[in-house]
Coordinates of all heavy atoms in Angstrom, one line a residue:
K38 N 10.0 -109.6 -237.9 CA 10.9 -109.8 -236.8 C 10.1 -110.5 -235.7 O 10.6 -111.5 -235.1 CB 11.4 -108.5 -236.3 CG 12.9 -108.3 -236.5 CD 13.3 -107.1 -235.7 CE 14.6 -106.5 -236.0 NZ 14.7 -105.2 -235.5
Q62 N 7.0 -126.8 -226.2 CA 6.1 -125.7 -226.1 C 5.3 -125.8 -224.8 O 4.9 -126.9 -224.4 CB 5.1 -125.8 -227.2 CG 4.2 -124.6 -227.3 CD 3.1 -124.9 -228.3 OE1 3.2 -125.8 -229.2 NE2 2.0 -124.1 -228.2
L140 N 0.4 -115.3 -249.1 CA -0.3 -114.3 -249.9 C -1.7 -114.8 -250.0 O -2.0 -115.9 -250.4 CB 0.4 -114.4 -251.3 CG -0.2 -113.5 -252.4 CD1 0.0 -112.0 -251.9 CD2 0.5 -113.7 -253.7
S171 N -17.0 -119.5 -240.1 CA -17.2 -120.9 -239.7 C -15.9 -121.6 -239.3 O -15.9 -122.6 -238.7 CB -17.8 -121.7 -240.9 OG -16.9 -121.7 -241.9
K193 N -11.8 -113.8 -218.9 CA -13.2 -114.1 -218.5 C -13.3 -115.6 -218.3 O -14.0 -116.1 -217.4 CB -14.2 -113.6 -219.5 CG -14.7 -112.2 -219.3 CD -15.9 -112.0 -220.2 CE -15.8 -110.6 -220.8 NZ -16.5 -110.5 -222.0
K210 N -13.0 -131.4 -204.8 CA -12.8 -132.5 -205.7 C -13.5 -132.3 -207.0 O -12.9 -132.6 -208.1 CB -13.5 -133.7 -205.0 CG -12.8 -135.0 -205.1 CD -13.5 -136.0 -204.3 CE -13.0 -137.4 -204.7 NZ -13.7 -138.5 -204.0
K224 N -4.8 -130.5 -223.9 CA -3.4 -130.8 -223.9 C -2.5 -129.8 -223.2 O -1.5 -129.3 -223.6 CB -2.8 -131.0 -225.3 CG -3.6 -132.0 -226.2 CD -3.2 -131.7 -227.6 CE -4.2 -132.4 -228.5 NZ -4.1 -132.1 -229.9
T274 N -1.4 -140.2 -232.2 CA -0.5 -139.5 -233.1 C 0.5 -138.6 -232.4 O 1.6 -139.0 -232.2 CB -1.3 -138.7 -234.2 OG1 -2.2 -137.8 -233.5 CG2 -2.0 -139.6 -235.1
R299 N 14.2 -113.9 -217.0 CA 14.4 -112.6 -217.7 C 15.5 -111.7 -217.2 O 16.1 -110.9 -217.9 CB 13.1 -111.8 -217.8 CG 12.0 -112.6 -218.5 CD 11.8 -112.1 -219.9 NE 11.5 -110.7 -219.9 CZ 10.3 -110.2 -219.6 NH1 9.3 -111.0 -219.3 NH2 10.2 -108.9 -219.6
M361 N 31.6 -136.8 -207.6 CA 30.7 -137.2 -206.5 C 31.6 -137.4 -205.2 O 32.6 -138.0 -205.2 CB 30.2 -138.6 -206.8 CG 28.7 -138.7 -207.0 SD 27.6 -138.3 -205.7 CE 27.3 -140.0 -205.3
K400 N 30.5 -91.9 -202.8 CA 30.9 -91.0 -203.9 C 29.7 -90.3 -204.4 O 29.7 -89.1 -204.7 CB 31.5 -91.8 -205.1 CG 33.0 -92.0 -204.9 CD 33.5 -92.6 -206.2 CE 34.9 -93.2 -206.1 NZ 35.2 -94.0 -207.2
K456 N 22.5 -81.5 -217.7 CA 22.5 -83.0 -217.7 C 21.8 -83.6 -216.4 O 21.8 -82.9 -215.4 CB 24.0 -83.4 -217.6 CG 24.7 -83.4 -218.9 CD 26.1 -84.0 -218.6 CE 27.0 -83.7 -219.8 NZ 28.4 -83.9 -219.5
P470 N 5.1 -111.5 -204.0 CA 5.4 -112.5 -202.9 C 6.5 -112.0 -202.0 O 7.4 -111.4 -202.5 CB 5.9 -113.7 -203.7 CG 5.2 -113.6 -205.1 CD 5.1 -112.1 -205.3
T480 N 17.2 -103.8 -206.0 CA 17.1 -103.1 -207.3 C 16.7 -101.7 -207.1 O 17.0 -100.8 -207.9 CB 16.1 -103.8 -208.2 OG1 15.3 -104.7 -207.5 CG2 16.7 -104.5 -209.4
Y522 N 8.0 -89.1 -200.1 CA 7.1 -88.9 -201.2 C 6.8 -87.4 -201.5 O 6.9 -87.0 -202.6 CB 5.7 -89.6 -200.8 CG 4.9 -90.0 -202.0 CD1 5.2 -91.1 -202.7 CD2 3.8 -89.2 -202.4 CE1 4.5 -91.4 -203.8 CE2 3.1 -89.5 -203.5 CZ 3.4 -90.6 -204.2 OH 2.6 -91.0 -205.3
D572 N 13.0 -77.7 -212.5 CA 12.7 -76.7 -211.5 C 12.9 -77.3 -210.1 O 13.5 -76.8 -209.2 CB 11.3 -76.1 -211.6 CG 11.2 -75.3 -212.9 OD1 12.2 -74.9 -213.4 OD2 10.0 -75.0 -213.3
E611 N 21.4 -62.8 -221.9 CA 22.7 -62.5 -222.5 C 22.8 -61.0 -222.8 O 21.9 -60.5 -223.5 CB 22.8 -63.3 -223.8 CG 24.1 -63.1 -224.5 CD 24.1 -63.9 -225.8 OE1 23.6 -65.0 -225.9 OE2 24.6 -63.2 -226.8

Side-chain angles (χ1 to χ4, degrees):
K38 244 191 198 167
Q62 185 189 344
L140 180 62
S171 63
K193 270 194 223 156
K210 217 173 166 186
K224 304 163 196 169
T274 55
R299 302 259 301 282
M361 244 298 261
K400 271 192 197 164
K456 277 183 195 167
T480 14
Y522 204 78
D572 293 346
E611 180 186 318

